[in-house]
Amino acid sequence: MEPLKKTPLNEVQHELKARMVDFGGWDLPVWYTSILAEHKAVRSRAGMFDVSHMGRLWLTGRKAEAFLDRLLTKSVPRLEIGHAQLCLLCLEDGGILDDLVVYHVGIERYLVVWNAANTEQKLEWLFRWSSSDPDIVIKDSSSNTVMLAVQGPAVCQLKNLEDAFPSPRFGIAQAKIGNLSALVARTGYTGEDGFEIITDAANALPLWESFIKQGVKPCGLGARDSLRLEAGMMLYGHDMDTNTNPFEAGLGWLVDLEKGDFIGKNALLEIKRRGVNRKLVGFQMNGREIARSGYRILKSGQEVGQVTSGGYAPSLGIGIGLGYVPIELATIGSEIEIMIHNKPVPAHIVSKRFYKKGASNEP
Amino acid sequence: MNPKEYKYTQEHEWICPEPGNKGKVGITDFAQSELGDVVYLDLPSPGTQVEQFKKMGEIESVKAVSDLFAPASGQVLEVNQAVIDEPGLVNHDPYGDGWLVRLELSNPSELDALMGSDKYDEFIAQLGEEDSE
């Protein structure tokens, strides 16, 4: 077995006696003290997550913009410098290869932050379409930088983030955090206001400690998952993959069919014309049971779909989840059952934005 | 830390013998720390017959679900309503207020098959070593 990959903050996580797990080949904390406490810290004040396992890719050069525009489902030329955009990377058949955030950092300079999974497949896809054009430079900077997500309603009271405050939601700027130079984006995956900070791996520890001193709570993957699920944010590999298209996944708002040609456009036009026969919905358990990813969804005893994400929602105190159901069931209030430990347990369909008070990634 | 008068299973349940061939059952401190925050318990109702080492319920933490096994055979006399209402008691006080069910034992000699606290301390110490290999 290959040794687990470590982020620049691995040592401090072990020192804090965090509960570590193998997360797609990375040695990462699932919790430091308690998922519930960490979840609550982010909803009520501020928490920080080491998200250095996420892929960070620089695309630069004269043709970088056109290249990205050809690959992504949103218009890249319309993305102004200093702004970021959530996008999909689709295959020719419209299947989703990844969801990612593209940041327009400077003239002919784009940063792509994408999921840690399938990196090789995705890089191969990029290199295939760039066909070694010298005007498209692709450089992975994941291993020599650290990425820290600082999230929660109190982030704007953090002294060393003052420089980054004017940035609007989905803004990105080169900023000073204390005396450290970093790229700071007002993005996140928690449903709260927050920043994602990318800086040299050598700055990892001073950056971490500067937030510890201000009472920002270290948070693990457990809270990251419960926070994103409550906010109705989807997880690649669970709620979508190459076998799902953006329209059934409820991500039509990320597909700009008015823009010029892009990979998957023809298939997506056709899918949109035909309509979808299943849809990703949010559901809430009627009682106190908890549905988990992979459980079956039933309607009147018949299997109709599968839970793709499920768990306990700490802010709501109930079990919630996401899953695909036939389009005729995909209306708010529809009664369904989830097969939990061999028993059909009642649930009903609700809005995917289970928790509505914080910030959203949707327009 | 693990109470001396309790008996322990390899699945990290404990039973505290009580007069009249009864016993209170819960999960160990090691089990609760492995599970993390407990948020839901599916426990057998009073009157249910349970069998030693057979599944009798489920414990759900934020992160995972795990089976609960009976440390001894018998009938469920009582379920701890406090822990149903507030599952976090399992984390805060696993050997006290976080108890789960009370059993009437049908075969008290079964308790001889369980570990005492010293044996259980050794058992979890070994698990820790395996983890770090």
Side-chain angles (χ1 to χ4, degrees):
Chain A
M1 214 182 87
E2 264 183 65
L4 292 177
K5 286 177 273 188
K6 294 172 180 180
T7 78
L9 291 163
N10 187 265
E11 217 166 288
V12 74
Q13 289 156 357
H14 280 272
E15 273 168 29
L16 288 170
K17 302 216 182 312
R19 179 61 50 99
M20 307 298 283
V21 289
D22 174 353
F23 183 77
W26 289 86
D27 185 39
L28 286 169
V30 61
W31 72 74
Y32 292 84
T33 55
S34 136
I35 296 176
L36 291 182
E38 290 161 25
H39 184 107
K40 202 173 153 200
V42 174
R43 286 276 180 257
S44 64
R45 199 178 167 274
M48 63 176 157
F49 305 81
D50 176 13
V51 290
S52 305
H53 60 292
M54 301 283 290
R56 296 177 288 291
L57 204 67
W58 282 100
L59 286 107
T60 53
R62 208 166 50 84
K63 292 189 194 158
E65 177 186 292
F67 173 64
L68 279 171
D69 199 45
R70 191 169 171 220
L71 288 170
L72 302 177
T73 55
K74 290 289 270 188
S75 169
V76 178
R78 254 185 268 151
L79 183 63
E80 290 169 37
I81 290 179
H83 292 267
Q85 167 73 56
L86 198 54
C87 286
L88 298 173
L89 185 64
C90 281
L91 298 172
E92 286 133 311
D93 68 359
I96 304 170
L97 184 55
D98 206 359
D99 66 324
L100 54 83
V101 180
V102 57
Y103 298 85
H104 195 176
V105 180
I107 298 163
E108 294 174 4
R109 277 168 58 78
Y110 291 88
L111 173 69
V112 163
V113 174
W114 62 15
N115 288 292
N118 318 323
T119 307
E120 271 167 41
Q121 189 194 356
K122 290 181 298 191
L123 280 174
E124 204 174 289
W125 181 253
L126 257 59
F127 284 119
R128 176 177 149 197
W129 293 100
S130 70
S131 356
S132 313
D133 189 323
D135 289 324
I136 306 165
V137 182
I138 302 172
K139 196 180 130 234
D140 195 325
S141 77
S142 310
S143 59
N144 52 12
T145 55
V146 65
M147 183 164 170
L148 196 67
V150 184
Q151 304 276 303
V155 287
C156 282
Q157 289 153 30
L158 298 174
K159 296 265 183 293
N160 55 349
L161 281 177
E162 264 169 357
D163 201 17
F165 294 168
S167 173
R169 185 97 185 131
F170 279 93
I172 183 165
Q174 191 74 43
K176 281 275 184 197
I177 300 182
N179 55 0
L180 307 173
S181 176
L183 260 181
V184 184
R186 200 154 188 177
T187 47
Y189 194 48
T190 59
E192 295 297 337
D193 190 8
F195 294 92
E196 290 179 305
I197 302 162
I198 299 171
T199 183
D200 286 347
N203 294 335
L205 213 50
L207 184 69
W208 175 269
E209 273 160 8
S210 75
F211 292 122
I212 290 278
K213 273 186 207 133
Q214 298 180 82
V216 177
K217 196 170 179 64
C219 300
L221 294 169
R224 184 167 159 83
D225 194 50
S226 57
L227 288 158
R228 70 92 194 166
L229 180 57
E230 274 188 356
M233 294 174 178
M234 295 162 62
L235 175 61
Y236 190 82
H238 285 251
D239 306 313
M240 57 184 149
D241 56 30
T242 51
N243 296 314
T244 51
N245 70 61
F247 299 107
E248 59 192 9
L251 295 174
W253 59 282
L254 289 181
V255 180
D256 182 358
L257 292 170
E258 310 287 308
K259 77 174 225 184
D261 197 26
F262 64 92
I263 295 158
K265 186 179 181 184
N266 288 337
L268 290 169
L269 278 167
E270 178 59 19
I271 292 165
K272 191 163 191 201
R273 194 189 59 76
R274 252 188 4 238
V276 295
N277 47 26
R278 60 171 192 164
K279 202 151 185 180
L280 188 78
V281 294
F283 65 84
Q284 178 180 316
M285 304 308 298
N286 295 3
R288 291 180 62 191
E289 297 86 354
I290 296 166
R292 306 213 181 246
S293 173
Y295 288 7
R296 287 178 293 154
I297 301 174
L298 313 180
K299 176 70 183 180
S300 314
Q302 293 292 306
E303 183 170 346
V304 293
Q306 238 186 29
V307 176
T308 53
S309 282
Y312 178 76
S315 308
L316 311 172
I318 43 155
I320 58 170
L322 298 171
Y324 285 91
V325 298
I327 194 85
E328 56 275 16
L329 289 177
T331 49
I332 288 178
S334 272
E335 299 288 335
I336 51 172
E337 300 102 50
I338 311 291
M339 203 66 168
I340 301 182
H341 317 316
N342 296 317
K343 279 176 286 192
V345 179
H348 61 280
I349 290 170
V350 296
S351 157
K352 277 185 281 185
R353 264 200 93 198
F354 303 97
Y355 178 83
K356 299 178 180 73
K357 281 183 217 138
S360 171
N361 279 353
E362 295 189 32
Chain B
M1 185 181 67
N2 295 310
K4 292 268 182 235
E5 64 279 19
Y6 290 18
K7 297 281 222 166
Y8 301 87
T9 70
Q10 297 199 351
E11 299 287 348
H12 311 287
E13 290 89 13
W14 56 259
I15 181 163
C16 169
E18 292 180 341
N21 291 334
K22 296 189 177 96
K24 221 189 236 181
V25 174
I27 66 165
T28 66
D29 187 53
F30 177 81
Q32 72 77 20
S33 74
E34 288 291 303
L35 283 170
D37 302 299
V38 174
V39 290
Y40 178 69
L41 294 149
D42 187 5
L43 299 177
S45 344
T48 310
Q49 294 290 337
V50 299
E51 212 180 314
Q52 190 178 33
F53 305 138
K54 295 277 167 68
K55 187 177 158 181
M56 66 168 186
E58 267 138 11
I59 302 184
E60 303 250 9
S61 69
V62 180
K63 202 64 207 147
V65 54
S66 88
D67 289 337
L68 178 70
F69 298 94
S73 307
Q75 192 179 42
V76 178
L77 289 177
E78 194 187 344
V79 173
N80 182 6
Q81 189 56 42
V83 88
I84 300 284
D85 296 339
E86 199 191 330
L89 286 174
V90 175
N91 299 107
H92 302 139
D93 193 6
Y95 296 120
D97 291 344
W99 67 277
L100 303 177
V101 295
R102 180 177 264 120
L103 298 179
E104 171 144 51
L105 308 182
S106 55
N107 183 5
S109 65
E110 281 177 346
L111 298 186
D112 299 340
L114 303 180
M115 289 178 271
S117 66
D118 291 346
K119 203 84 182 281
Y120 182 67
D121 288 345
E122 268 171 45
F123 178 69
I124 53 177
Q126 272 169 10
L127 291 180
E129 277 166 28
E130 279 167 29
D131 269 3
S132 57
E133 265 166 25

